[in-house]
Amino acid sequence: MTLIDTEQFTVRRVSEGNNSPASHNVSGILPLPLPPGGHFIGGSFVPGSSTHFIDVVDPTTEQVIASVKAGTAADVDVAVEAAVAAQKSWGATTPKERSEVLNLIANIIDANREAFEIIESANTGKPRTVAEDDVSSTIDTFRFMAGASRTLTSMAGGDYATGHTSVILREPVGVVGVITPWNYPLLMAAWKIAPILAAGNSIVLKPSEQTPLSTLKLAELLAGRIPDGILNVVTGQGRTVGQRISEHPDVALVALTGSVVSGQAVAETAAKSVKRVHLELGGKAPVVVFPDADIRAAAAGVRNAGYWNAGQDCGAACRVLVHESVAAEFTEHLVREVSTLVVGAPEAGDDVEIGPMISRPHFERVKESLAEAKAAGLHMAIGGSALEGPGYFIEPTVISNVPAGAHVATHEIFGPVVTVETFNSTEEAITRANESPYGLSASVWTRDSSLSLSVPKQLDFGTVWVNSHLVLACEVPWGGFKGSGYGRDLSLYALDDYSRTKHVMINHGA
Ligand code: NAD
């Protein structure tokens, strides 16, 4: 197989950027629009019961940019009390009234776009284009749910027993606990907040301890403008704040986006109070490339969907399965595509597409995966190493000629690393794609209209794209099968997940 030479990626620093000065305080040029400290409970910021703080780090500089309160179980209890009180009147509002509040939230975020983009980039190191996309998608999520909630309906009632009339009601579940991850902090919060509020519930939300700033900023901007107590935010660790949310008897449902291990912990705790659970967990998306596919388009698709957000995406196109007859051609195109990716800090240039890993521990984990692949003799077609610090940057990497079952191709790396395996029949492609503990998303690349329907039907994934990857829309559901969890974000299915069905049967004695 002929491949172009591995290029040496370098990380572009602020001073090397081709852009105007940085708009956040990494280089001390402009102040970061930080939210107030403390927890947001009952409509205002409170100090909480602990004197401990958690440092928030900019992963491009490894510098502490803020610190937030390390919340306690007692703080969660206060927040739940506020949420219970607020839910009574919120749950009694009409869909139209709730829709107006959701549209107001969308307007407030829209009016403060830049602050959110700056905060998100500073806290995660993600390029401004990714942060801009996150904020636009966040606004769209609130707008969609504002409209969708007004269409919610239930099965028509009727007379099914003599002298009795049945009415079917959709009701809020009550207080919903929400636990969010660090990869899209604001957007993942919006995916929960919008449908949960739209369905008439109140919320106690714990953002990732690594990326709490944009969620706190949202709380700051919403204070006094939405009913007090319908959205409460408690910052802190999963094992304390997340644990208490999962076990609290007055929390009716807990929704987590995060790793499989955290999902298992939440589900286990929630089982004790028979709490409903909604889990959006990890993924390892296969990209199945058939010999008749547009190979250039497939390679370009993986360039975008495999490396967006530095591959820290549960739907990332990270595991290519390509027919052996076109594997060399595909890999050559992919390596060429990947060689054009620019790595750097957000303010180092508008062309930066790859930011850092979120934290030192995650950076070490990705490096370990690469070292393990090298030790197993796998071929680094491009990249394969960490870049010199400061900052947790990894070279965009393609690992080619990966054998079936290799660890690097079966476990979630969550970094800018794409593996390439080959197959020689459609049956083998389907079997190998399904041989994964995850079932979140997959893509199929073919120009054959028959394969474009028959293969997705046989793939065990909650989303299957054909000749595309990682394209999302608020109208369509997102969520996994198998180890990727259960429940659906976005679409009318999310509204369904966050409400409950009640049957009222009236004996009218006829
Ligand atoms: P994580 O599981 O480490 O943390 C997620 C959240 O869970 C954090 O707020 C954390 O504090 C909390 N948590 C951790 N342990 C807990 C416990 N025992 N009880 C309660 N809460 C606990 O995940 P992460 O590293 O922040 O995010 C990356 C993971 O999220 C990846 O596996 C990724 O695939 C997944 N993810 C999935 C989706 C999806 O839609 N399926 C979207 C984004 C991220």
Side-chain angles (χ1 to χ4, degrees):
M1 185 184 299
T2 336
L3 292 174
I4 60 169
D5 286 342
T6 298
E7 304 222 348
Q8 193 61 47
F9 292 98
T10 51
V11 56
R12 194 179 305 153
R13 306 277 167 201
V14 180
S15 55
E16 301 157 34
N18 53 10
N19 219 5
S20 51
S23 49
H24 73 67
N25 72 347
V26 167
S27 53
I29 298 166
L30 279 178
L32 185 62
L34 285 173
H39 312 296
F40 183 70
I41 298 178
S44 50
F45 281 87
V46 297
S49 63
S50 162
T51 51
H52 295 290
F53 288 87
I54 300 171
D55 284 341
V56 179
V57 172
D58 176 343
T60 66
T61 61
E62 306 180 36
Q63 301 294 311
V64 174
I65 52 172
S67 56
V68 295
K69 276 297 182 75
T72 62
D75 297 328
V76 173
D77 291 356
V78 177
V80 172
E81 211 179 311
V84 168
Q87 199 275 326
K88 287 188 180 62
S89 47
W90 178 247
T93 55
T94 61
K96 179 172 184 282
E97 287 165 330
R98 294 198 290 273
S99 167
E100 281 162 4
V101 170
L102 290 180
N103 272 321
L104 174 67
I105 296 174
N107 292 344
I108 291 171
I109 299 170
D110 204 359
N112 292 277
R113 264 173 184 275
E114 201 183 12
F116 282 110
E117 289 162 13
I118 291 169
I119 287 176
E120 211 69 313
S121 280
N123 198 167
T124 62
K126 63 175 70 191
R128 281 298 286 273
T129 42
V130 179
E132 281 163 24
D133 188 76
D134 288 4
V135 176
S136 294
S137 301
T138 296
I139 296 165
D140 193 45
T141 303
F142 280 102
R143 291 210 197 291
F144 170 78
M145 288 298 170
S149 60
R150 298 186 69 178
T151 70
L152 248 198
T153 180
S154 55
M155 199 177 101
D159 291 2
Y160 305 110
T162 308
H164 291 71
T165 296
S166 289
V167 180
I168 312 293
L169 304 174
R170 291 300 287 168
E171 295 183 339
V173 295
V175 176
V176 178
V178 173
I179 302 171
T180 56
W182 47 258
N183 58 346
Y184 299 101
L186 181 68
L187 183 59
M188 291 302 97
W191 280 17
K192 306 296 185 204
I193 296 170
I196 292 170
L197 289 185
N201 309 286
S202 60
I203 298 172
V204 176
L205 185 154
K206 187 199 91 60
S208 166
E209 56 278 21
Q210 296 171 81
T211 56
L213 301 182
S214 53
T215 308
L216 289 172
K217 188 73 189 173
L218 180 63
E220 177 194 3
L221 294 168
L222 298 183
R225 303 182 72 182
I226 64 170
D228 292 347
I230 61 169
L231 173 64
N232 304 278
V233 180
V234 179
T235 55
Q237 301 287 356
R239 62 180 176 275
T240 48
V241 175
Q243 165 75 19
R244 182 60 185 154
I245 288 174
S246 312
E247 71 190 7
H248 198 295
D250 293 336
V251 172
L253 184 157
V254 60
L256 170 129
T257 298
S259 62
V260 175
V261 172
S262 304
Q264 286 167 328
V266 163
E268 199 179 327
T269 306
K272 296 192 180 99
S273 54
V274 200
K275 208 183 284 322
R276 277 174 61 182
V277 179
H278 185 283
L279 299 175
E280 299 287 351
L281 308 179
K284 184 80 182 176
V287 177
V288 183
V289 183
F290 285 99
D292 69 300
D294 180 336
I295 300 297
R296 276 175 190 273
V302 173
R303 179 196 191 278
N304 183 45
Y307 299 89
W308 182 258
N309 208 34
Q312 299 170 117
D313 190 303
C314 45
C318 55
R319 181 191 174 206
V320 175
L321 281 156
V322 54
H323 192 272
E324 59 190 12
S325 64
V326 291
E329 183 191 351
F330 172 85
T331 310
E332 192 165 342
H333 282 304
L334 179 60
V335 169
R336 187 169 296 116
E337 289 280 358
V338 171
S339 72
T340 64
L341 289 166
V342 177
V343 183
E347 54 287 288
D350 287 342
D351 56 343
V352 170
E353 289 179 85
I354 304 283
M357 301 297 91
I358 189 68
S359 64
R360 167 69 60 185
H362 184 51
F363 180 57
E364 296 300 335
R365 273 196 299 273
V366 176
K367 285 200 293 182
E368 254 169 55
S369 295
L370 293 173
E372 188 187 300
K374 285 179 191 165
L378 301 186
H379 179 60
M380 301 291 140
I382 188 165
S385 301
L387 290 158
E388 214 172 294
Y392 311 127
F393 294 96
I394 298 278
E395 290 178 328
T397 299
V398 175
I399 310 179
S400 61
N401 299 336
V402 173
H407 190 234
V408 77
T410 52
H411 80 283
E412 194 183 36
I413 297 174
F414 226 56
V417 180
V418 171
T419 60
V420 182
E421 300 163 68
T422 61
F423 64 86
N424 63 25
S425 70
T426 302
E427 293 65 37
E428 187 194 355
I430 293 164
T431 306
R432 298 261 301 282
N434 284 336
E435 271 172 3
S436 165
Y438 299 107
L440 187 58
S441 62
S443 65
V444 174
W445 296 77
T446 180
R447 284 185 274 214
D448 181 318
S449 59
S450 166
L451 284 180
S452 74
L453 193 57
S454 63
V455 175
K457 281 182 164 210
Q458 296 172 77
L459 291 176
D460 238 351
F461 297 85
T463 294
V464 183
W465 291 278
V466 178
N467 297 323
S468 189
H469 199 115
L470 218 53
V471 177
L472 301 178
C474 289
E475 288 79 356
V476 287
W478 176 256
F481 301 149
K482 305 196 306 192
S484 294
Y486 41 82
R488 291 293 175 268
D489 280 329
L490 303 177
S491 77
L492 292 172
Y493 293 92
L495 287 171
D496 214 41
D497 281 0
Y498 295 122
S499 52
R500 65 184 191 186
T501 307
K502 181 180 282 176
H503 169 214
V504 178
M505 191 178 241
I506 304 156
N507 178 358
H508 43 76

